[in-house]
Amino acid sequence: MLFKKKLRVAGASVMVVLTAFSLPSAETWKFGLMSDTQWKNNIDGENPNTVSVGIIRQLNKEFIKHDVKLVFQVGDLVDKYSEAAFITRAEAAQDLLDAGIGFFPLRGNHETSVSAANYMSNVFPQACGYLKTFGATNFQYPAANLECLSYSFDFQNVRFVLLDQFTRKDNTGVNANDNMVDQINWINSTLANRASGTHAFVMAHKNIIGQNHVDCLFGSSPASNITSQNTFIRSLNVNGVRYYFGGHDHMHHRSIVKSPDGNYSITQLIGSSNSYKFYIPINPSVDTRFNTPPRELPISQELFTIGYYIFTVDGPNVTAQYYAALNGCPGGTWENLVDCDLSKTPKNLEFIKRETFGYSLIGKNFVIQPNNTLTVVSDTCKSNGSVNTFASIISGINGISASVYDGRSTIQNINTGWTSCQDSDDDVESDILKLWGMANNIGSNQSDTFTLSMSYGSNISGSLTLVSKDESGNWEPAVKGNFDGTPKFVIGPFKSTYSLGTYGIDPASHTVWAVINHGGEFAVIKGSDGDLDGNGIIDNADIEIVTSLKNKPAIINPAADFDSDGNITLLDARKLVLISTR
């Protein structure tokens, strides 16, 4: 089906065709994201024409290693625009193209001129949909004077929308502060007319609310073009966009940004530097300086690193991973990140995973303020082929919150997602829960201590265990992934006195639970707890072992103390009967 809409842009009517169609069900795939690549003086000979080629080539290797299909750069391709600089940046992407990976750039404030606008199509024809598109289809743009500058396209089950706010090809729009206003209708139509059940990501160079720079997507400050900001963030929210990507600030920063009217919000990701320079957030924050009440809720922040992002799209679920390397400034360590302007390319950058986050189209999103309870987190799998597994956090608070540079405390942004048991190749007794956003500090997977409960079918008997995936993707008892704590199996409901590492099964409510301090993927599988003689079943022989130890201290056989009261009694034997299979 074709939708035709006439837009008034720069005094001319332009007919733009928007195509709505069903995208194919996609296999799991990945895309990469990178940020500003300016360079100052080419002292070491690796960074010609003000492009950080030495860093770009190391990033290319990372993207190829991760087997991404596409890579996006959110502007500032060069430090000083020239045709030679654009050619250098295009040539630096050749490793990706040779590996069959599409590269899709945007302009930034270092290439704002009309000359740069018109030269984009020469060196980056993929932005026009002409060449080097690597499976991307359905390219659209708001108007002729923005062709190859602001554009959208589809890849598998995602629509990408890339926004340019700088001088246009006909030399109109020289004021970057207002160049989003006449694109909003196109943005909304492009997002609204995509296939149902698909993802959409929106990106530009400047941020909705920055951390170092006051200038932003909608003007000279976050207080500019308020009506347009409301319309824009509402459009993203209503059309199911979860992430907005930007650069400009040369730091890793993730936050929730509200619309000026407070009715809608979007998660904003500001990309880590890929340049010679690193910025420091201003204090008080840009948000609090210009917005009353404040509109931004910080989630995480890391300064003075060289980084990139990998997004894994798995049906309705998206998992993002932020990788970073020390920037090469003298004296820098992960415990003491240091700022400097680089004069030479840092050699052999060692990238490590610093943060994992994500969302699901069939999950829920929770914003937890510091010191608030985590028990609001609950969800039921409703995907096709599911067994309607119910999961909930039944104890815990957001007791440990990091602070960003300007002193604001971070919030906990927890997202749930699901894979139905029918769609899983694993031998599980439940649907698979994905729990993103539990970690307290960047660089660590450790969370506050909480108790997670998951349901299982009433027709399933025997010993069952709450499990999670380790770094290699293998299922293990969820408590094994804890930071500290001692594993202890219990039969019966959770009690507030149970400590980290306690886990159990409650046959009365058909749930398993565990006291843990990490997020990840969780499921229910058959367990061996209660099989005291190790013959693979829980039967009278196991019950007899418990009764033979009645009135003994649990230290004699801790595995027989099923209520964790420190003693082995007939009550423990009765509890074992509840999960016996013979």
Side-chain angles (χ1 to χ4, degrees):
M1 183 179 298
L2 296 180
F3 296 87
K4 294 186 178 180
K5 187 176 184 67
K6 184 170 288 188
L7 303 181
R8 175 70 61 177
V9 180
S13 295
V14 178
M15 190 68 72
V16 178
V17 179
L18 298 171
T19 308
F21 58 94
S22 296
L23 296 174
S25 297
E27 71 277 6
T28 300
W29 63 281
K30 301 176 184 179
F31 68 89
L33 178 72
M34 60 184 294
S35 192
D36 309 37
T37 55
Q38 306 107 301
W39 199 262
K40 197 173 184 180
N41 298 316
N42 189 21
I43 293 175
D44 58 6
E46 293 192 29
N47 306 289
N49 297 314
T50 74
V51 181
S52 60
V53 176
I55 291 175
I56 291 169
R57 285 176 174 162
Q58 294 184 68
L59 293 181
N60 289 345
K61 292 179 180 179
E62 294 292 309
F63 290 131
I64 293 169
K65 180 181 72 177
H66 285 288
D67 193 27
V68 302
K69 301 297 184 184
L70 312 172
V71 171
F72 297 88
Q73 182 175 342
V74 286
D76 279 3
L77 307 172
V78 304
D79 194 52
K80 294 181 180 179
Y81 170 71
S82 66
E83 290 186 1
F86 261 24
I87 291 171
T88 296
R89 180 61 190 95
E91 290 175 343
Q94 192 61 44
D95 290 341
L96 298 176
L97 304 181
D98 290 344
I101 298 170
F103 175 69
F104 295 94
L106 275 170
R107 285 194 303 166
N109 59 286
H110 281 249
E111 47 263 345
T112 62
S113 68
V114 64
S115 298
N118 283 285
Y119 204 63
M120 277 287 288
S121 59
N122 287 34
V123 289
F124 302 112
Q126 60 267 42
C128 316
Y130 300 158
L131 300 168
K132 307 175 184 177
T133 56
F134 293 94
T137 61
N138 195 32
F139 281 76
Q140 308 290 339
Y141 51 91
N145 62 357
L146 282 166
E147 185 180 6
C148 315
L149 302 176
S150 282
Y151 59 104
S152 72
F153 65 83
D154 297 323
F155 186 89
Q156 303 253 23
N157 55 341
V158 177
R159 178 159 291 178
F160 295 97
V161 180
L162 293 82
L163 304 176
D164 185 298
Q165 70 179 107
F166 305 107
T167 303
R168 298 169 180 181
K169 297 169 75 171
D170 58 358
N171 206 28
T172 60
V174 293
N175 183 0
N177 292 334
D178 300 323
N179 280 346
M180 278 296 105
V181 176
D182 63 356
Q183 298 187 59
I184 288 179
N185 287 341
W186 174 77
I187 294 167
N188 185 63
S189 297
T190 301
L191 294 173
N193 291 328
R194 73 183 194 277
S196 62
T198 58
H199 303 273
F201 298 98
V202 177
M203 64 192 81
H205 177 62
K206 293 188 180 183
N207 306 298
I208 304 173
I209 298 178
Q211 307 308 305
N212 172 272
H213 290 87
V214 172
D215 58 299
C216 60
L217 185 66
F218 281 90
S220 59
S221 81
S224 304
N225 287 315
I226 293 298
T227 299
S228 295
Q229 284 196 63
N230 282 329
T231 303
F232 175 75
I233 297 177
R234 178 188 183 278
S235 176
L236 269 56
N237 200 227
V238 169
N239 290 306
V241 179
R242 304 300 180 89
Y243 294 154
Y244 169 87
F245 305 144
H248 199 39
D249 270 345
H250 296 232
M251 67 182 71
H252 169 73
H253 181 86
R254 193 160 58 92
S255 64
I256 294 173
V257 175
K258 298 178 183 178
S259 57
D261 59 17
N263 293 329
Y264 302 94
S265 63
I266 185 68
T267 297
Q268 171 181 261
L269 173 64
I270 300 175
S272 181
S273 180
N274 300 146
S275 172
Y276 74 93
K277 58 184 175 179
F278 310 88
Y279 285 126
I280 298 174
I282 61 174
N283 188 10
S285 70
V286 174
D287 179 36
T288 55
R289 290 187 187 200
F290 290 94
N291 296 318
T292 304
R295 293 168 42 203
E296 185 185 33
L297 298 173
I299 303 171
S300 68
Q301 184 182 87
E302 186 166 74
L303 311 180
F304 316 140
T305 62
I306 295 172
Y308 66 89
Y309 303 83
I310 300 295
F311 293 81
T312 300
V313 183
D314 182 11
N317 303 315
V318 171
T319 297
Q321 295 173 318
Y322 160 54
Y323 289 83
L326 297 176
N327 59 14
C329 296
T333 67
W334 286 114
E335 293 73 31
N336 180 37
L337 296 170
V338 176
D339 181 28
C340 70
D341 280 359
L342 299 176
S343 58
K344 295 183 179 180
T345 303
K347 303 295 185 181
N348 301 316
L349 292 170
E350 296 183 9
F351 293 95
I352 64 173
K353 185 167 60 179
R354 300 292 288 165
E355 186 178 32
T356 299
F357 51 98
Y359 74 88
S360 177
L361 297 176
I362 57 172
K364 292 182 178 180
N365 176 44
F366 303 89
V367 175
I368 314 293
Q369 294 285 351
N371 300 313
N372 283 9
T373 182
L374 300 173
T375 57
V376 296
V377 177
S378 64
D379 196 10
T380 300
C381 182
K382 296 294 186 182
S383 63
N384 293 334
S386 77
V387 292
N388 294 357
T389 298
F390 175 72
S392 63
I393 293 178
I394 57 177
S395 78
I397 63 169
N398 178 17
I400 302 175
S401 296
S403 295
V404 296
Y405 183 86
D406 55 53
R408 292 176 294 167
S409 295
T410 58
I411 55 96
Q412 209 85 19
N413 184 213
I414 300 173
N415 282 264
T416 59
W418 295 95
T419 299
S420 72
C421 58
Q422 178 177 289
D423 292 334
S424 171
D425 294 329
D426 299 321
D427 187 15
V428 294
E429 303 295 339
S430 69
D431 302 308
I432 297 172
L433 169 71
K434 299 177 187 291
L435 196 57
W436 296 281
M438 298 304 302
N440 289 320
N441 294 293
I442 199 163
S444 172
N445 293 324
Q446 185 171 354
S447 71
D448 291 292
T449 296
F450 67 99
T451 305
L452 178 64
S453 172
M454 289 184 68
S455 67
Y456 61 88
S458 59
N459 61 328
I460 303 172
S461 61
S463 182
L464 296 164
T465 303
L466 181 67
V467 294
S468 61
K469 281 190 174 179
D470 63 16
E471 284 291 325
S472 299
N474 300 313
W475 291 112
E476 63 179 11
V479 296
K480 190 174 180 181
N482 281 348
F483 298 82
D484 299 322
T486 301
K488 172 60 184 170
F489 176 68
V490 169
I491 301 174
F494 165 76
K495 296 180 181 179
S496 60
T497 56
Y498 291 153
S499 60
L500 179 66
T502 310
Y503 66 105
I505 179 173
D506 183 8
S509 63
H510 303 290
T511 59
V512 295
W513 52 268
V515 186
I516 56 179
N517 58 2
H518 64 91
E521 292 187 67
F522 299 91
V524 182
I525 67 169
K526 292 282 189 181
S528 59
D529 294 294
D531 178 19
L532 299 179
D533 60 6
N535 67 349
I537 58 174
I538 301 173
D539 55 12
N540 287 336
D542 299 298
I543 297 169
E544 288 173 3
I545 291 174
V546 179
T547 56
S548 70
L549 297 172
K550 67 179 181 179
N551 300 324
K552 301 287 187 182
I555 195 172
I556 299 296
N557 189 343
D561 180 18
F562 294 113
D563 57 8
S564 193
D565 67 352
N567 296 293
I568 302 172
T569 66
L570 288 179
L571 181 58
D572 294 305
R574 295 191 187 106
K575 286 182 174 291
L576 188 57
V577 170
L578 298 176
I579 63 171
S580 65
T581 52
R582 294 288 180 89

